[in-house]
């Protein structure tokens, strides 16, 4: 009997420790192989809220994986999207800039890759009508694209994302709620771009908010960005923590748990 109890306890401990772990997921866009990551919520609910995570320009990184794990602890299904696909992962900043630039210009292809990742999030168990998309830098641009084309999501969160939009594109009403977390000293977003984005949100009659973080530049959520603001991209612990809390408030507002 004691052996049975010990065995049962060991199985229980193993299942609890391994339950909420990132799992690689292979999916495709035509013949292009994509490699994302999925994670189940530590504590499940009937509403099955899901979060799609769009990584920064280098592709799937430690920050996006850590985010997925932390969201699972909060009770969310999470999926980290692979935008570039196997064989196209950038080796350095130069390649990352070219790859990200391609999808920013060819935004319909970016939207398709995001849609495919959303499908994987739903296949993992998330409620298709109870989803938020979040993104970092290049991924933040993607999150805004989700709102612009009214994918079936409750909201989007952009962390230090690009705000620009091709002015030839028509502005359509935006249904998803929008949260933009922005470094007050980010050198990569001009005053003109910020003003144009805010006007776009007004014209689209969006439910939006934009929060500025003092002394924060680009990539302020990523510890791997260093701490030298003069480089234009640097980690800011206070801004990172504040933006995380603001995101949690947003998720609690827009998603059913």
């Amino acid at each position: 009997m004691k052996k049975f109890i010990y065995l049962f306890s060991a199985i229980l401990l193993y299942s609890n420790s391994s339950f909420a772990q990132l799992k690689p997921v292979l999916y495709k866009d035509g013949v292009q192989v994509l490699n994302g990551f999925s994670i189940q919520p530590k504590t499940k609910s009937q509403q099955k809220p899901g979060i799609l995570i769009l990584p920064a320009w280098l592709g799937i990184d430690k920050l996006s994986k850590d985010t997925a794990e932390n969201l699972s602890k909060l009770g969310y299904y999470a999926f980290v999207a692979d935008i570039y696909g196997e064989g196209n992962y950038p080796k350095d900043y130069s390649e990352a800039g070219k790859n990200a630039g391609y999808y920013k210009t060819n935004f319909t292809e970016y939207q398709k890759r995001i849609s495919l990742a959303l499908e994987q999030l739903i296949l993992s168990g998330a409620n298709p009508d109870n989803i938020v998309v979040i993104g970092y830098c290049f991924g933040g641009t993607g999150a805004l694209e989700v709102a612009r084309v009214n994918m079936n999501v409750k909201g989007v969160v952009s962390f230090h994302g690009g705000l620009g939009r091709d002015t030839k594109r028509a502005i359509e009403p935006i249904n998803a709620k929008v949260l933009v977390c922005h470094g007050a000293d980010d050198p990569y977003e001009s005053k003109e771009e910020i003003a144009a984005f805010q006007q776009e949100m007004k014209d689209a009659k969006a439910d939006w908010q934009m929060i500025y973080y003092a002394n924060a530049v680009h990539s302020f959520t990523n510890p791997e960005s260093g701490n030298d603001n003069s480089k234009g991209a640097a980690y800011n612990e206070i801004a990172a923590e504040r933006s995380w809390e603001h995101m949690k408030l947003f998720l609690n507002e827009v998603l059913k748990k």
Side-chain angles (χ1 to χ4, degrees):
M1 183 65 180
K2 285 185 178 179
K3 287 184 178 179
F4 174 78
I5 293 173
Y6 291 147
L7 179 61
F8 178 78
S9 298
I11 293 171
L12 184 63
L13 285 170
Y14 175 79
S15 63
N16 285 341
S17 63
S18 62
F19 180 70
Q21 292 184 341
L22 278 173
K23 296 179 180 179
V25 177
L26 186 151
Y27 60 115
K28 291 185 176 181
D29 179 1
V31 297
Q32 175 63 63
V33 173
L34 304 168
N35 298 289
F37 286 89
S38 176
I39 191 166
Q40 300 278 310
K42 189 173 183 180
T43 303
K44 294 185 179 181
S45 70
Q46 289 185 335
Q47 301 298 336
K48 299 182 178 180
I51 313 291
L52 178 64
I53 301 161
L54 305 179
W57 67 341
L58 286 172
I60 295 176
D61 54 7
K62 186 177 186 301
L63 174 62
S64 55
K65 291 180 179 179
D66 288 348
T67 298
E69 291 178 343
N70 288 328
L71 287 170
S72 78
K73 295 173 185 176
L74 296 176
Y76 299 103
Y77 289 82
F79 188 84
V80 184
D82 178 9
I83 300 301
Y84 300 142
E86 197 167 285
N88 301 307
Y89 304 129
K91 301 179 185 66
D92 52 35
Y93 290 149
S94 177
E95 288 189 7
K98 291 177 182 177
N99 286 9
Y102 173 83
Y103 284 99
K104 286 180 180 179
T105 301
N106 299 278
F107 52 85
T108 56
E109 293 186 41
Y110 196 5
Q111 293 162 4
K112 183 182 180 184
R113 290 284 166 91
I114 295 170
S115 294
L116 292 171
L118 274 172
E119 290 176 7
Q120 293 302 315
L121 174 62
I122 294 165
L123 287 172
S124 77
N127 181 343
D129 297 316
N130 200 28
I131 289 173
V132 160
V133 176
I134 71 173
Y136 297 93
C137 300
F138 168 56
T141 302
L144 294 177
E145 283 300 321
V146 168
R148 285 173 175 136
V149 295
N150 281 317
M151 293 186 193
N152 183 33
V153 302
K154 295 297 184 183
V156 302
V157 183
S158 171
F159 293 95
H160 41 79
L163 307 175
R165 177 188 63 88
D166 185 344
T167 55
K168 296 176 184 177
R169 296 170 62 182
I171 296 176
E172 304 290 343
I174 288 177
N175 298 325
K177 295 185 179 182
V178 178
L179 169 61
V180 173
C181 300
H182 187 71
D185 298 330
D186 189 331
Y188 297 110
E189 292 298 318
S190 67
K191 293 180 180 179
E192 292 76 17
E193 278 187 322
I194 292 171
F197 168 75
Q198 294 180 353
Q199 188 60 51
E200 176 193 358
M201 292 297 103
K202 294 174 184 177
D203 293 342
K205 302 188 185 311
D207 181 347
W208 67 285
Q209 51 190 307
M210 185 169 180
I211 303 174
Y212 291 80
Y213 300 97
N215 306 311
V217 291
H218 196 65
S219 197
F220 63 80
T221 61
N222 194 343
E224 296 182 341
S225 296
N227 56 12
D228 185 355
N229 276 19
S230 69
K231 294 182 178 180
Y235 178 61
N236 183 304
E237 184 177 7
I238 293 175
E241 290 177 354
R242 286 176 176 172
S243 62
W244 181 259
E245 292 302 316
H246 287 139
M247 181 198 68
K248 288 199 299 182
L249 287 171
F250 181 80
L251 295 179
N252 288 336
E253 176 190 338
V254 304
L255 291 179
K256 296 178 181 177
K257 291 190 75 177

